[in-house]
Amino acid sequence: MDVQDDVAYAKIAKKIKFVSMGAIFLFFVGESAKLLYYPTILKACVAARWGSEYTDDQITALTSYYKGGLDMANSLLGFLAGPIIGALSDKFGRRLPLMLCFVSSFIETLLVAVSIFYQEVWIVALGRALGFLSNTSITIMVAICSDVCLTSAARAPMLGIIMVGVAAAIIVGPASLGVLGLWGIQWSFLVALVAAVWFLLLVVGFLPEPLNIKGKYGQSESPSSSINHGAAVPSQPPSNKVSFRDLNPIRSARILFSRHLPFLGFLAVFQFFGSFAEQDIASTFVLWTDLRFHFTSLILGLMMSFYGVLMCVAQGWFFGFLTSKIGIRRSFVVGIICSILARVGYISSVNMYILIAAIPFACMSSTSTLAINVLTLKELDKDSTSSGQTGGVLGSMTSLGSLAGFLGAVVAQTVFAYFVSGHAPVYFIGAQFVLSLALYSLLLIATLVAMSWFKDTDPPKTDPDRQSLLSGDP
């Protein structure tokens, strides 16, 4: 590209960056209603059916079993759909999968809202099953990051900025919806549905198709590009032609475990076990805080907003700062260590102050998730055969996470329910965190070994001034 193309591309990339951040913000404001009230609504449905037969602790344990089963079904469907949605995004562009995410999330939110009035477990179950595409929104955003960044160095800060939208939604969503919940949970879900509609309008009306932009301006950074007579291999815009071969999830999954990219295979394995370990807090946080601290919905919303503020700092500034100082691989290790420290804090949370002290480490642990995405894209740059399959490969990574969620949700919920049901030898609310602590400790050792085996090889860097322009930095 010449200088004029660089300037034009920088403007379009900046528009995509901020529209994506706004879209993901609205999407997760809608998701925060389910995050905040879904366990509470499910518990109310369970209590309406069996409240006269069991104590409150037993109702909580039964709710945990039900939630584990519903999360398992949601994750299983996500596991099957992830690679297919990723492959569709490579063929038809990124906006179509985002719209499918909207439809899936909207239906789930609507059905959960309906269950407030009818208090039937099957309505919640149906909504949870139909919301299986919600998790793929982050996958598509990572693919967009790959599309609009022409340099590896630009990906980490851009991905961090987009993820600030998620963190900002966690700030605004739970706190505002928690306040609205004082007048009735139904008002919170009404706001969530409105936010979801605005997300759709923003994607349809203001988000340019990133693959079209990549097809016009994009070029490969991979070393294999320079071997092809010294010429860069242009990226292709999306095609409307699609075959069952393109939608085959195994095709993209094979790249994850290619012998040419051994470190990518390790990242895929880490994605699975890391997602499994994360289910301890993802599946039990609301029920755990209810038993441990007796939080109201308002206090829980404010706590999540505090978490969101720290997530903004961690993803919007800390991740970029850390990678610029110590590199992406060491940042990955720092994120794992923070996950371990967060579990230590959860286990020892005998009062709310210890929990508050543990939350910053939980937020900083998100650097490992962001690092996996950046490292995955970096590994794909090394292999010319993976060109045009970025969405499919990222979908396969998400699929592994969903499979881990399928299994991890059952394990975390079962362990939590067993140790609070009164049938266990000891009453221990935080037993699920001990399991995750052990798993993260093993993952830390495995990561250090893998990094010593698979040395980092950076693709060629562009001119510093041009790289600054394309990354949007002054």
Side-chain angles (χ1 to χ4, degrees):
M1 292 193 298
D2 56 26
V3 175
Q4 288 183 338
D5 282 342
D6 281 348
V7 173
Y9 183 84
K11 291 181 179 178
I12 297 174
K14 182 177 290 187
K15 178 180 180 180
I16 292 176
K17 179 193 306 183
F18 287 105
V19 171
S20 298
M21 182 175 68
I24 207 71
F25 167 78
L26 291 170
F27 183 84
F28 278 92
V29 165
E31 288 290 292
S32 63
K34 290 176 286 185
L35 178 68
L36 185 61
Y37 291 115
Y38 163 61
T40 303
I41 293 172
L42 181 59
K43 184 177 180 179
C45 294
V46 172
R49 174 66 178 82
W50 292 283
S52 60
E53 303 175 26
Y54 300 106
T55 65
D56 185 64
D57 281 355
Q58 290 174 327
I59 289 294
T60 300
L62 187 59
T63 302
S64 182
Y65 284 123
Y66 267 102
K67 187 175 183 297
L70 297 182
D71 290 346
M72 181 179 67
N74 179 274
S75 297
L76 177 60
L77 291 172
F79 164 70
L80 297 173
I84 297 175
I85 292 297
L88 283 173
S89 75
D90 288 330
K91 300 299 294 184
F92 294 103
R94 311 302 186 195
R95 301 203 313 169
L96 174 63
L98 282 178
M99 295 176 194
L100 293 176
C101 291
F102 156 78
V103 173
S104 178
S105 177
F106 186 88
I107 292 174
E108 181 186 5
T109 303
L110 184 62
L111 287 175
V112 174
V114 169
S115 68
I116 297 173
F117 302 99
Y118 292 95
Q119 293 191 338
E120 293 287 348
V121 174
W122 70 267
I123 299 178
V124 182
L126 180 61
R128 189 65 177 145
L130 295 177
F132 66 97
L133 290 181
S134 299
N135 292 335
T136 60
S137 61
I138 295 295
T139 301
I140 304 304
M141 287 301 172
V142 175
I144 289 175
C145 175
S146 173
D147 295 335
V148 301
C149 291
L150 301 188
T151 64
S152 296
R155 286 173 181 160
M158 180 172 178
L159 182 59
I161 288 175
I162 290 177
M163 294 303 292
V164 165
V166 180
I170 298 175
I171 296 173
V172 175
S176 59
L177 297 181
V179 172
L180 285 173
L182 296 176
W183 285 274
I185 297 178
Q186 64 272 17
W187 296 109
S188 299
F189 277 87
L190 178 61
V191 172
L193 292 170
V194 171
V197 172
W198 276 104
F199 161 80
L200 179 65
L201 294 176
L202 189 61
V203 170
V204 173
F206 297 95
L207 181 65
E209 175 50 58
L211 278 188
N212 288 337
I213 306 302
K214 184 180 181 182
K216 181 177 180 180
Y217 296 100
Q219 63 184 27
S220 174
E221 290 185 275
S222 63
S224 59
S225 300
S226 59
I227 298 175
N228 188 16
H229 307 292
V233 180
S235 302
Q236 299 297 324
S239 169
N240 289 331
K241 296 181 179 180
V242 66
S243 65
F244 288 109
R245 180 175 178 269
D246 295 320
L247 298 180
N248 181 6
I250 305 300
R251 184 188 178 204
S252 297
R254 284 176 181 168
I255 299 176
L256 295 179
F257 300 100
S258 168
R259 60 187 178 87
H260 303 295
L261 301 172
F263 189 63
L264 181 60
F266 168 76
L267 291 175
V269 173
F270 184 97
Q271 171 79 351
F272 176 83
F273 287 103
S275 298
F276 184 97
E278 281 296 318
Q279 288 302 312
D280 64 338
I281 195 67
S283 299
T284 66
F285 181 75
V286 174
L287 296 174
W288 173 66
T289 52
D290 180 42
L291 285 182
R292 172 68 78 180
F293 306 109
H294 304 290
F295 283 167
T296 64
S297 296
L298 178 58
I299 297 298
L300 186 60
L302 292 175
M303 183 66 69
M304 290 182 178
S305 295
F306 171 65
Y307 178 85
V309 170
L310 296 180
M311 283 287 285
C312 272
V313 176
Q315 297 183 343
W317 172 79
F318 181 71
F319 179 64
F321 171 80
L322 198 63
T323 54
S324 66
K325 295 298 182 182
I326 64 176
I328 189 67
R329 286 194 167 201
R330 290 190 180 93
S331 300
F332 183 31
V333 174
V334 169
I336 302 171
I337 294 173
C338 289
S339 295
I340 292 173
L341 294 176
R343 268 63 194 181
V344 172
Y346 294 149
I347 294 170
S348 57
S349 292
V350 294
N351 56 55
M352 189 173 65
Y353 301 106
I354 299 177
L355 173 61
I356 292 174
I359 287 178
F361 293 105
C363 294
M364 288 187 290
S365 70
S366 64
T367 57
S368 63
T369 303
L370 295 175
I372 284 179
N373 292 324
V374 176
L375 287 170
T376 298
L377 297 175
K378 191 174 181 181
E379 291 295 304
L380 291 177
D381 283 342
K382 301 175 184 178
D383 184 14
S384 60
T385 62
S386 64
S387 177
Q389 296 190 57
T390 301
V393 172
L394 292 173
S396 295
M397 291 287 279
T398 301
S399 182
L400 284 175
S402 296
L403 177 61
F406 166 76
L407 300 172
V410 175
V411 173
Q413 296 282 0
T414 301
V415 170
F416 171 76
Y418 175 70
F419 280 93
V420 302
S421 64
H423 300 298
V426 294
Y427 182 83
F428 184 25
I429 298 178
Q432 70 276 18
F433 300 129
V434 176
L435 180 63
S436 294
L437 175 62
L439 187 53
Y440 267 122
S441 299
L442 293 175
L443 287 175
L444 176 61
I445 297 172
T447 300
L448 295 175
V449 172
M451 287 184 176
S452 66
W453 284 354
F454 311 123
K455 301 298 183 181
D456 191 18
T457 54
D458 288 319
K461 295 183 179 179
T462 61
D463 177 76
D465 293 334
R466 183 170 180 271
Q467 179 174 315
S468 175
L469 175 65
L470 294 177
S471 64
D473 296 331

